[in-house]
Amino acid sequence: MEQDSSREKPSREGASLPGDPPSSTLGQSLSRVLHRLTSEESRPGKARGAAIQDLGALIEAAECDQLFEGSDTSLRGVPEMLGQVAKALGTYAAPSKEQEGRAHGYSEVAEKGAAVGLLFLKLMGKIEAAKNSLPCPTWKIGLRHLAGPIYIFAVTHSLEQPWTSPRSRDIAGEVLSLLLRITQCGSVAGFLHGENEDEKGRFTLIMELLKPDLNKESWKNNPATKHVFSWTLQQVPRPWLNQHLERILPPSLLISDDYRTENKILGVHCLHHIVLNVPAADLLQYNRAQVLYHALFNHLYTPEYNLIQAVLLCLLDLFPVLEKGLHWKGGAARPTTHCDEVLRLILTHMEPEHRLLLRRTYARNLPAFVKRLGILTVRHLKRLERVIISYLEVYDGPEEEARLKILETLKLLMQYAWPRVSCRLVVLLKALLKLICDVARDPNLTPEPVKNALLEEATDCLILLDHCSQGQVKGLLAKILQSCEDSKVVNCIRKVQQVSEGASYDRN
């Protein structure tokens, strides 16, 4: 019921009511067009299409000074009416929830978007001409009502989405470029946060316009809203973002908490941008960082590799914020951290995982966790050992991304936790030698550059293992040279022996 009343409100305001001062002829004409665009009776496409044509004729016939009548008074003027019309045009051209997933419905949206875009180009052409003939405050005040709705329309239709077409994207791109030129902004970021310190920017205005469509009940009514919010948010870097934290954090959490994977990923990308561009002190205030952590941590139970990748990257940037206040004072054992908790869960998921895409995602991020924990990785040494050995045994496709990342993890592990490595000498040596033999004997499954990369990484691991075990590896490998006939395996073993003896080792 509230939506119906809000749709009818502009038509009541635009009409000349008893006691209201008489409005201009252009204002009355715009009021009638607004009524036709927003009235429930004008739902058929032909009626609203005719309103679009009439509006185009009105704008074309209007003089530049007429577009800003009333902008310097407290009365409702033409610029404010144009702002209402611009909002209605954006709603008319926006995709709706009912059309989501229907190609035919979306093709109609693209056509509407192109038509409205041409109308906005015509309107902004008039405004650009007015810049040269009217006093500066006049046209700037008039533009204030139009900038927000036109920006939202342009972003909605310039992104590559199902409801856009190449033509509608080109027109929307022209609309956005012209808007930036008229507002004298060199970039979208400058348009949003201001070109200089004295300029306020329009990010607050855009967020206020999007706010009614970004609550729990309404955010799915228009499929474009979440993309406009996400794209706009990611245009604003630090130090301008922290002042808007109360406006941007709730919608980002709401989108990331959806049941659909694509929405989860979109929300996580928004949260990641917030983590990177808001100071740690602001994130720690009111326990916001903990809220972010728990929202992200829960996504790790979803077996979607692209979501896991986005979440792990965000968590790795969130850990320094969460652990900012932790200081080890010596004596007692160091407290476990959020990084420990996440790594423990990752290793639990990695051991039984058989899906290649998920295995690659986990392996791709494992080195970063070892680097983050450093010597404290010893807490997870047993599980890491099992994961490393099991992943080295399994062929991972032509690119061998998982095995290469696992070898990188092993190298880091031996560098950080070398005192604990010697007792695992036999197990690790067997795994590395088996890998070298498998790769050397692989006839054609793996490209030669990838084979060479695997052999080099495995050789580096053997060299580190020899250092950690005080030269034991060298003695054990000497016996293999006497019986091994494979030239690639022999070459790897000789490199290990040369480096162990102090000779220079050239990877090339």
Side-chain angles (χ1 to χ4, degrees):
M1 294 296 293
E2 292 178 2
Q3 289 180 349
D4 292 341
S5 62
S6 67
R7 284 172 180 163
E8 293 171 6
K9 186 176 180 181
S11 63
R12 292 198 299 266
E13 288 181 347
S16 296
L17 298 176
D20 282 352
S23 56
S24 67
T25 304
L26 179 60
Q28 291 176 346
S29 301
L30 289 173
S31 179
R32 287 193 290 270
V33 170
L34 179 62
H35 177 75
R36 291 162 65 187
L37 286 171
T38 57
S39 173
E40 292 293 331
E41 300 172 1
S42 301
R43 280 199 173 275
K46 289 184 179 179
R48 292 189 177 181
I52 298 291
Q53 291 178 352
D54 293 346
L55 180 59
L58 274 175
I59 293 172
E60 198 164 334
E63 297 294 334
C64 294
D65 57 345
Q66 290 181 293
L67 295 174
F68 302 101
E69 288 180 350
S71 61
D72 57 345
T73 70
S74 59
L75 302 177
R76 180 183 175 88
V78 173
E80 188 176 347
M81 180 64 71
L82 278 172
Q84 294 294 328
V85 171
K87 289 181 187 177
L89 289 172
T91 303
Y92 165 75
S96 65
K97 184 178 181 181
E98 292 76 20
Q99 290 169 326
E100 196 165 4
R102 285 165 45 194
H104 176 66
Y106 276 152
S107 65
E108 291 180 358
V109 173
E111 292 172 7
K112 290 179 181 178
V116 172
L118 292 172
L119 199 60
F120 280 143
L121 286 174
K122 191 180 295 185
L123 175 60
M124 287 194 293
K126 291 279 186 176
I127 296 172
E128 191 172 29
K131 287 174 64 178
N132 302 321
S133 59
L134 294 176
C136 180
T138 305
W139 66 264
K140 278 196 173 182
I141 292 171
L143 184 60
R144 187 183 303 159
H145 298 285
L146 290 167
I150 291 177
Y151 169 85
I152 291 174
F153 164 83
V155 176
T156 297
H157 292 274
S158 61
L159 301 175
E160 191 165 348
Q161 295 292 339
W163 56 83
T164 63
S165 65
R167 180 169 179 264
S168 68
R169 286 195 292 271
D170 289 342
I171 293 173
E174 291 179 29
V175 171
L176 186 58
S177 298
L178 183 54
L179 178 63
L180 295 179
R181 189 165 74 240
I182 290 174
T183 54
Q184 299 173 324
C185 296
S187 64
V188 173
F191 174 84
L192 293 170
H193 62 63
E195 287 290 325
N196 51 62
E197 294 181 2
D198 300 329
E199 193 176 346
K200 187 177 178 182
R202 299 167 183 83
F203 187 73
T204 301
L205 168 66
I206 302 301
M207 290 297 108
E208 288 300 316
L209 289 172
L210 292 175
K211 186 177 179 180
D213 296 322
L214 282 175
N215 58 54
K216 191 175 181 180
E217 288 74 29
S218 64
W219 75 278
K220 288 191 175 182
N221 292 341
N222 179 355
T225 302
K226 60 191 177 187
H227 294 285
V228 174
F229 169 77
S230 173
W231 191 86
T232 300
L233 170 64
Q234 294 182 57
Q235 305 306 308
V236 182
R238 64 168 64 209
W240 293 279
L241 202 59
N242 59 310
Q243 58 187 303
H244 305 288
L245 194 53
E246 294 298 330
R247 291 187 181 91
I248 59 178
L249 188 55
S252 301
L253 288 167
L254 177 66
I255 296 170
S256 73
D257 195 37
D258 191 46
Y259 69 95
R260 296 178 64 178
T261 302
E262 57 267 32
N263 289 338
K264 290 177 188 282
I265 295 170
L266 190 68
V268 170
H269 286 156
C270 293
L271 295 175
H272 195 181
H273 184 78
I274 291 171
V275 169
L276 290 173
N277 291 279
V278 173
D282 292 304
L283 290 176
L284 291 170
Q285 194 177 26
Y286 306 123
N287 227 22
R288 292 184 184 115
Q290 288 290 343
V291 172
L292 283 170
Y293 171 73
H294 288 296
L296 293 166
F297 186 82
N298 290 335
H299 289 315
L300 293 175
Y301 292 97
T302 306
E304 296 288 343
Y305 75 95
N306 43 5
L307 174 62
I308 296 292
Q309 176 65 30
V311 169
L312 291 179
L313 290 176
C314 186
L315 281 170
L316 285 165
D317 287 319
L318 183 61
F319 290 147
V321 177
L322 292 165
E323 296 162 15
K324 196 175 182 64
L326 295 179
H327 298 287
W328 183 52
K329 298 178 180 179
R334 294 193 192 190
T336 56
T337 63
H338 297 87
C339 188
D340 283 300
E341 187 178 14
V342 173
L343 180 56
R344 192 179 301 119
L345 181 62
I346 289 174
L347 294 173
T348 300
H349 290 168
M350 286 183 78
E351 284 192 70
E353 188 55 64
H354 62 278
R355 287 162 286 194
L356 286 178
L357 291 174
L358 272 171
R359 287 169 66 92
R360 289 170 191 160
T361 302
Y362 288 131
R364 186 183 305 128
N365 293 280
L366 203 52
F369 279 86
V370 175
K371 284 180 184 177
R372 176 74 196 162
L373 286 172
I375 185 62
L376 297 181
T377 311
V378 294
R379 294 170 173 169
H380 311 275
L381 207 50
K382 288 183 179 179
R383 273 187 167 176
L384 274 167
E385 178 191 327
R386 292 198 300 268
V387 166
I388 287 169
I389 291 170
S390 63
Y391 273 56
L392 288 179
E393 290 175 348
V394 179
Y395 173 72
D396 184 49
E399 299 301 319
E400 290 281 18
E401 183 183 2
R403 289 211 278 195
L404 284 169
K405 286 297 179 180
I406 289 296
L407 287 170
E408 182 183 344
T409 303
L410 178 57
K411 285 168 62 177
L412 290 168
L413 187 61
M414 288 191 287
Q415 291 170 9
Y416 287 118
W418 60 268
R420 300 286 186 91
V421 173
S422 57
C423 60
R424 294 169 169 82
L425 170 64
V426 176
V427 176
L428 293 175
L429 182 58
K430 284 182 178 179
L432 289 169
L433 287 174
K434 185 178 185 300
L435 172 65
I436 290 172
C437 291
D438 288 346
V439 173
R441 293 169 184 173
D442 179 10
N444 50 21
L445 291 176
T446 309
E448 205 61 34
V450 178
K451 282 185 185 180
N452 293 334
L454 279 170
L455 292 174
E456 287 178 1
E457 291 295 316
T459 303
D460 287 349
C461 288
L462 285 174
I463 292 168
L464 281 171
L465 187 59
D466 185 64
H467 289 323
C468 293
S469 61
Q470 290 80 42
Q472 294 182 53
V473 171
K474 175 188 170 185
L476 293 169
L477 292 179
K479 300 175 183 178
I480 299 177
L481 279 176
Q482 300 171 4
S483 58
C484 183
E485 297 179 355
D486 191 293
S487 60
K488 289 183 178 179
V489 177
V490 170
N491 189 38
C492 292
I493 294 174
R494 282 181 177 161
K495 285 180 180 178
V496 176
Q497 289 188 319
Q498 288 170 4
V499 174
S500 300
E501 292 167 359
S504 62
Y505 168 43
D506 183 6
R507 285 172 64 105
N508 299 322

